[in-house]
Amino acid sequence: AQTVTQSQPEMSVQEAETVTLSCTYDTSESDYYLFWYKQPPSRQMILVIRQEAYKQQNATENRFSVNFQKAAKSFSLKISDSQLGDAAMYFCAYRSTIKIQGAQKLVFGQGTRLTINP
Amino acid sequence: DAGVIQSPRHEVTEMGQEVTLRCKPISGHNSLFWYRQTMMRGLELLIYFNNNVPIDDSGMPEDRFSAKMPNASFSTLKIQPSEPRDSAVYFCASSSTRGGQPQHFGDGTRLSIL
């Protein structure tokens, strides 16, 4: 079974600085998808970014980018020019391409709580 | 797009009462997931459906929990009887099974059992 590990329970960064959140995963599959979700205090789960394992190019979404190292099974999230609104719990998630009776579930990490210092 | 709609947003009830949480997935999504989130245990997958059929309910903690999906646009998670340790935020999410589409989450139901 796949596992996802976020080794940093908490991180903090000064506003306008850059921060990197770590995520590693374990799988024997060669094709899969990886996601970062953000959960602010409002408790909504918001998709931040998605990466397909077969793509070598790292995904980017405005100030958010990933460093995807397939051989190392690492999928870190970089937030540039941190803003107060970035304060949230961040979850890394893995999704297999193999469907079980047509469905694919997500495997989540434990989350990293990010604090932005003004 | 309306997004995943959950109701109620908050529920406070006394132990022993029946609790029903409701979810309307995004139209066209054929997979639906129920999660529970607590400080102690984090985000747990309780059960998921594909095309209205339950696929895996191994995450349902006890027989007091049940879930149904009578049609493509509605699902319920029921707890009967409820206990204080069931207090948590319950999320519903839906997704398409087309290549690597993400799950879209509802706003969650905060459940407090007194």
Side-chain angles (χ1 to χ4, degrees):
Chain A
Q2 296 85 16
T3 59
V4 176
T5 302
Q6 294 178 249
S7 58
Q8 307 153 316
E10 296 182 350
M11 293 278 286
S12 64
V13 65
Q14 286 296 125
E15 192 177 3
E17 297 290 303
T18 295
V19 64
T20 298
L21 308 184
S22 300
C23 173
T24 59
Y25 56 94
D26 187 27
T27 185
S28 59
E29 298 172 351
S30 60
D31 199 13
Y32 45 86
Y33 302 93
L34 296 164
F35 305 89
W36 278 98
Y37 282 86
K38 167 185 176 181
Q39 187 179 37
S42 63
R43 83 168 182 247
Q44 293 172 298
M45 289 285 283
I46 302 165
L47 177 69
V48 175
I49 201 164
R50 180 181 84 167
Q51 175 78 42
E52 293 93 339
Y54 63 85
K55 289 187 177 179
Q56 292 186 336
Q57 187 173 5
N58 289 324
T60 63
E61 286 288 341
N62 301 312
R63 297 182 295 107
F64 297 86
S65 62
V66 299
N67 183 5
F68 174 49
Q69 301 287 328
K70 190 173 184 179
K73 297 180 183 176
S74 171
F75 182 61
S76 60
L77 175 69
K78 186 172 83 171
I79 306 174
S80 303
D81 185 25
S82 298
Q83 299 176 0
L84 295 177
D86 295 334
M89 183 74 88
Y90 286 82
F91 293 94
C92 177
Y94 173 101
R95 179 175 175 173
S96 172
T97 58
I98 297 171
K99 297 179 183 180
I100 300 174
Q101 297 185 53
Q104 298 158 312
K105 65 179 183 181
L106 287 177
V107 179
F108 282 92
Q110 306 91 320
T112 296
R113 184 172 302 280
L114 178 65
T115 301
I116 312 296
N117 300 315
Chain B
D1 206 346
V4 176
I5 300 172
Q6 289 187 247
S7 64
R9 185 154 172 82
H10 305 278
E11 174 90 7
V12 180
T13 192
E14 294 186 347
M15 68 176 292
Q17 297 297 307
E18 178 179 291
V19 173
T20 300
L21 311 181
R22 297 172 175 80
C23 176
K24 177 179 170 56
I26 292 172
S27 177
H29 283 187
N30 48 5
S31 293
L32 183 139
F33 305 81
W34 282 101
Y35 292 88
R36 178 172 70 175
Q37 187 178 35
T38 61
M39 289 291 291
M40 290 294 293
R41 301 174 70 92
L43 195 61
E44 303 173 275
L45 177 62
L46 301 178
I47 184 171
Y48 63 101
F49 297 81
N50 192 57
N51 293 327
N52 313 337
V53 175
I55 303 302
D56 184 353
D57 65 354
S58 60
M60 297 284 261
E62 300 171 39
D63 291 345
R64 299 183 296 106
F65 287 70
S66 63
K68 294 182 179 179
M69 192 165 185
N71 57 62
S73 58
F74 184 66
S75 177
T76 59
L77 178 67
K78 189 171 291 187
I79 309 172
Q80 166 63 21
S82 58
E83 296 184 5
R85 59 196 167 119
D86 302 331
S87 298
V89 177
Y90 290 81
F91 286 100
C92 175
S94 71
S95 74
S96 163
T97 53
R98 288 184 294 112
Q101 293 301 306
Q103 289 182 16
H104 297 265
F105 284 74
D107 288 345
T109 295
R110 180 175 295 280
L111 177 64
S112 298
I113 309 296
L114 306 178

